Amino acid sequence: MKILLFGASGQVGRACRDALKQPGWDLTALSRKRADFSCPEQVTACVQRSRPDVVVNAAAFTDVEGAEKTPDMASMVNGECVGSLAAICAAMDIPVIHLSTDFVFNGQGSRAYREDDPVNPINSYGASKLKGERLLRAVHPRYICLRTSWVFSGRPGNFLTTMLRVGAQRTTVSVVGDQVGCPTYAGDIAATIAELVQRYEEFGDLPWGLYHCSSPEPCSRYEFARHIFAEAEEAGLLDPAPWVKKISSYQFPTLAARPAYSALDSSKLTEALGHPLPHWNRGIRQVCQALANRAVPSESPTLLN
Ligand SMILES: NC(=O)c1ccc[n+]([C@@H]2O[C@H](COP(=O)([O-])OP(=O)(O)OC[C@H]3O[C@@H](n4cnc5c(N)ncnc54)[C@H](OP(=O)(O)O)[C@@H]3O)[C@@H](O)[C@H]2O)c1
């Protein structure tokens, strides 16, 4: 099984590099340096050169604030180029596993979003990702699009590592309590992708389409932070952990609006796989323990800086 992975240096990309390293699988993992999604011809050429059995796309313009400043670039990377990738893969009959986001929803819902709920992004990042979803669906019948949310890992720059960094510097950390979603460990997303590739190899087919792919049990950012600090203290990363103060979103203004409620209902994927993703608490524990042992696979050695 020949797999071509884009976005190989991101959180999910790195986790995929580990999860897709399996006997009999030939993985080509490309980062932005070799496949820049602001240049669709380059990405198309990579597919033509590699001739893989399956493409996994973990590349994305994920800077939510930055997308407000450069919406055209976000749209190119997350939208138009995904369309070009889908078109070449459709022409070469190569299935695509792609990732999208809970930010396609406006956050006004009161129950976890299902795949067929109406979309209405409230920021440029969400709009650009929705464009990518639509272009993929329009040109390629054999795709899996996994919408995930609140992704964390041991890599710098995500919510968990930011909390650890800030928590090491302060006795009190303020975190918004009025944004609710489903945290999801990058390693669990990668394991899901590996499982899908495995099935495709075995059966030559997959239940193509759109899936929500998040850990069960929504929580607020405040609750997420409290769990992170509890696990970090337990693992000996913080001694003591800071006090977490619950604040409102209006006390933490950002350029990009965030959906207030963006929990995803992943039961369609649970049914397809025969099991849910693990609870996010397990991922937090894994990351904290790995950081304490300085043993996060494929990760920077300066994780807490
Ligand atoms: N992070 C989240 O909370 C979250 C939530 C919902 C959905 N998702 C989705 O999950 C997927 C994986 O995200 P992630 O968390 O792994 O994000 P990430 O850590 O930011 O990784 C994204 C990767 O895309 C690469 N990239 C950015 N611009 C590019 C370009 N012009 N050409 C090629 N590659 C480019 C980045 O390269 P560099 O390393 O060079 O910057 C990075 O390696 C994305 O589709 C994202 O939209 C993420």
Side-chain angles (χ1 to χ4, degrees):
M1 175 69 51
K2 207 170 166 197
I3 306 160
L4 179 59
L5 168 69
F6 291 108
S9 56
Q11 297 189 85
V12 175
R14 281 172 187 263
C16 281
R17 271 157 51 182
D18 294 330
L20 298 174
K21 214 178 282 166
Q22 297 199 16
W25 288 5
D26 172 9
L27 175 66
T28 302
L30 303 181
S31 65
R32 187 205 302 237
K33 269 189 208 147
R34 301 219 4 234
D36 189 335
F37 274 56
S38 64
C39 181
E41 308 77 48
Q42 206 184 92
V43 172
T44 300
C46 290
V47 178
Q48 287 168 324
R49 239 189 341 263
S50 172
R51 304 201 149 272
D53 298 306
V54 60
V55 163
V56 176
N57 180 27
F61 188 119
T62 55
D63 177 356
V64 178
E65 297 292 285
E68 296 302 314
K69 295 178 201 149
T70 56
D72 293 346
M73 179 56 81
S75 177
M76 171 58 81
V77 173
N78 294 341
E80 284 92 325
C81 192
V82 172
S84 300
L85 174 64
I88 187 65
C89 288
M92 294 173 70
D93 199 24
I94 302 164
V96 176
I97 300 176
H98 175 68
L99 289 156
S100 191
T101 174
D102 55 330
F103 279 21
V104 296
F105 296 111
N106 66 13
Q108 298 303 308
S110 54
R111 58 143 176 84
Y113 286 101
R114 295 194 279 260
E115 288 79 356
D116 53 2
D117 281 329
V119 286
N120 178 21
I122 57 171
N123 59 40
S124 300
Y125 166 72
S128 68
K129 293 294 292 183
L130 180 59
K131 183 183 264 188
E133 281 188 13
R134 286 181 166 156
L135 289 170
L136 174 61
R137 191 173 58 223
V139 302
H140 200 341
R142 295 206 303 157
Y143 76 92
I144 297 276
C145 180
L146 302 172
R147 275 188 195 143
T148 189
S149 55
W150 293 24
V151 180
F152 66 92
S153 68
R155 300 269 310 148
N158 66 80
F159 186 81
L160 183 151
T161 45
T162 300
M163 284 298 112
L164 294 183
R165 179 173 51 78
V166 175
Q169 296 162 353
R170 299 183 198 162
T171 51
T172 301
V173 176
S174 299
V175 183
V176 297
D178 54 3
Q179 287 173 22
V180 171
C182 296
T184 309
Y185 175 41
D188 292 331
I189 301 169
T192 301
I193 292 171
E195 202 172 329
L196 290 166
V197 173
Q198 176 89 53
R199 279 185 189 211
Y200 179 64
E201 181 179 44
E202 202 174 333
F203 301 110
D205 202 12
L206 282 174
W208 309 110
L210 175 65
Y211 292 86
H212 288 173
C213 174
S214 287
S215 284
E217 285 197 37
C219 66
S220 68
R221 292 264 179 208
Y222 165 79
E223 288 161 335
F224 188 19
R226 284 181 43 121
H227 279 277
I228 290 167
F229 289 133
E231 289 297 341
E233 202 170 48
E234 177 77 25
L237 287 171
L238 295 173
D239 183 23
W243 182 62
V244 188
K245 183 179 168 202
K246 194 194 284 187
I247 59 167
S248 302
S249 294
Y250 76 82
Q251 292 172 283
F252 188 73
T254 52
L255 194 56
R258 262 66 173 182
Y261 181 90
S262 64
L264 298 177
D265 177 340
S266 299
S267 47
K268 182 180 168 195
L269 183 67
T270 300
E271 203 171 306
L273 297 177
H275 62 85
L277 261 70
H279 194 282
W280 42 268
N281 228 341
R282 194 182 83 153
I284 295 176
R285 181 163 300 170
Q286 272 175 255
V287 172
C288 287
Q289 285 175 351
L291 289 177
N293 299 330
R294 286 286 187 270
V296 179
S298 315
E299 312 251 4
S300 153
T302 53
L303 286 161
L304 296 179
N305 299 327

